[in-house]
Amino acid sequence: MKIILNRKDVCEGDLILVNAAHACRGRGAAMLAPLKGEDDMLLQRRAGNFLSQLMEAVEGEQDITVVSAWRSQKEQQLLWEESLKEHGAAFTEQYVALPGHSEHQTGLAIDLGRKEDPINLIRPDFPYEGRCQQLREHAPEYGFIERYPAGKEAVTGIAHEPWHFRYVGVPHAGLMQEKGLTLEEYTDWIKQFAHGKNPYEIHQKHQSIQISYLPAEQVDQREITVDAPYSVSGNNVDGFVITQWKRTETDAG
């Protein structure tokens, strides 16, 4: 099938990179929905659905609570200012994203914490053990990554945050975990696999998944050919990531 891409959509999709260098520019807030059992917490609908499935799979409701989901620009600004007053600039720059540059403003990011009283709203406890670790280990199966891992602070610009998870979708979350890549690194890594030339292939039973990159400068309402099912996401930097699921053999029986 053929689809038309527009350069302006580079800031839309599950794989958008939002950090200090790349502001949140998309329309993610238009696709928000309440989380199951958390009516005051919002995520993009698809991300919220997969989070609910992940929580159910690890029986997370027993020990895990949602601390923070989508935030408006106003809420992020207030959080930034309050943290500056209470903790100072050094702490705030490590743990609170600049207003306009927070993943929470995309509706694709979630802070989770172990249920306890009180809960630290900026640095909730989410240990590498028990049900919290079970959720972390299974997160990529549902499209989520631990966004700010230890040892990658110089890459992400954010301190280690074991409680902060980001929806990027399948199979991308699994690839990032397998290769030890942050979203910043994955955004660069995928560029070597040009659309229509040398896609990255994942082979599974009865199907292959092809992932490729198309620079935004080559788009501008360009028509491209894809196989259904497919997904397209801008990277919020300079191009699009195209994912295609292709059937490779017929089911027996």
Side-chain angles (χ1 to χ4, degrees), residues 42 48 60 67 89 103 119 125-127 159 167 191 197 207 213 215 233 242 251:
L42 304 174
V67 178
E103 285 201 325
I119 293 177
D125 184 31
F126 203 80
Y167 182 77
K191 292 178 184 179
K197 296 180 180 179
Q207 72 172 355
Y213 168 77
S233 174
I242 301 165
D251 287 319

Side-chain angles (χ1 to χ4, degrees), residues 170 172 229-233 241-245:
V170 175
H172 307 284
Y230 74 93
S231 68
V232 177
S233 174
V241 179
I242 301 165
T243 309
Q244 300 176 81
W245 286 260

Side-chain angles (χ1 to χ4, degrees), residues 2-253:
K2 295 185 182 298
I3 61 173
I4 295 177
L5 295 182
N6 294 292
R7 188 179 302 186
K8 63 180 178 61
D9 292 329
V10 73
C11 57
E12 306 289 351
D14 296 336
L15 287 166
I16 54 172
L17 177 64
V18 173
N19 57 20
H22 303 287
C24 178
R25 302 178 289 154
R27 302 185 298 270
M31 297 177 280
L32 296 173
L35 290 174
K36 181 180 178 181
E38 301 278 357
D39 289 345
D40 59 337
M41 297 286 185
L42 304 174
L43 278 187
Q44 285 197 31
R45 187 177 301 277
R46 180 167 52 243
N49 288 340
F50 279 110
L51 178 66
S52 295
Q53 292 177 34
L54 171 58
M55 289 282 281
E56 183 176 341
V58 301
E59 299 180 339
E61 293 83 357
Q62 298 182 35
D63 300 316
I64 299 170
T65 187
V66 176
V67 178
S68 182
W70 173 77
R71 296 183 198 137
S72 66
Q73 173 80 10
K74 182 179 179 180
E75 289 171 320
Q76 189 66 27
Q77 183 71 45
L78 182 61
L79 182 65
W80 174 266
E81 292 173 358
E82 289 181 343
S83 181
L84 281 175
K85 291 178 183 177
E86 184 173 351
H87 303 291
F91 176 94
T92 300
E93 290 169 3
Q94 277 190 301
Y95 291 105
V96 182
L98 282 166
H101 294 258
S102 171
E103 285 201 325
H104 284 284
Q105 293 177 238
T106 69
L108 295 168
I110 190 85
D111 287 349
L112 301 173
R114 183 167 60 179
K115 286 183 177 179
E116 57 186 3
D117 189 21
I119 293 177
N120 187 317
L121 298 181
I122 293 182
R123 300 177 64 193
D125 184 31
F126 203 80
Y128 288 88
E129 61 183 16
R131 196 162 270 115
C132 294
Q133 180 61 12
Q134 291 178 35
L135 183 143
R136 183 179 285 109
E137 290 173 354
H138 289 281
E141 300 167 25
Y142 297 85
F144 285 88
I145 57 169
E146 182 182 320
R147 179 66 176 91
Y148 303 117
K152 297 285 190 174
E153 293 86 350
V155 177
T156 64
I158 297 290
H160 176 213
E161 293 192 356
W163 57 84
H164 182 107
F165 291 83
R166 161 67 192 271
Y167 182 77
V168 294
V170 175
H172 307 284
L175 268 178
M176 291 182 209
Q177 181 188 55
E178 174 189 326
K179 298 183 178 297
L181 300 176
T182 63
L183 183 54
E184 282 84 0
E185 293 167 319
Y186 189 74
T187 299
D188 288 334
W189 177 79
I190 208 70
K191 292 178 184 179
Q192 64 187 295
F193 304 105
H195 179 69
K197 296 180 180 179
N198 62 321
Y200 182 86
E201 292 199 53
I202 302 171
H203 295 283
Q204 299 177 343
K205 186 178 181 180
H206 304 312
Q207 72 172 355
S208 69
I209 304 173
Q210 295 187 351
I211 305 170
S212 59
Y213 168 77
L214 185 65
E217 63 186 20
Q218 296 180 16
V219 177
D220 211 12
Q221 295 199 350
R222 170 180 167 182
E223 186 179 82
I224 65 171
T225 301
V226 297
D227 292 307
Y230 74 93
S231 68
V232 177
S233 174
N235 63 11
N236 200 37
V237 182
D238 55 12
F240 296 86
V241 179
I242 301 165
T243 309
Q244 300 176 81
W245 286 260
K246 296 189 174 186
R247 193 157 189 79
T248 56
E249 60 181 273
T250 304
D251 287 319

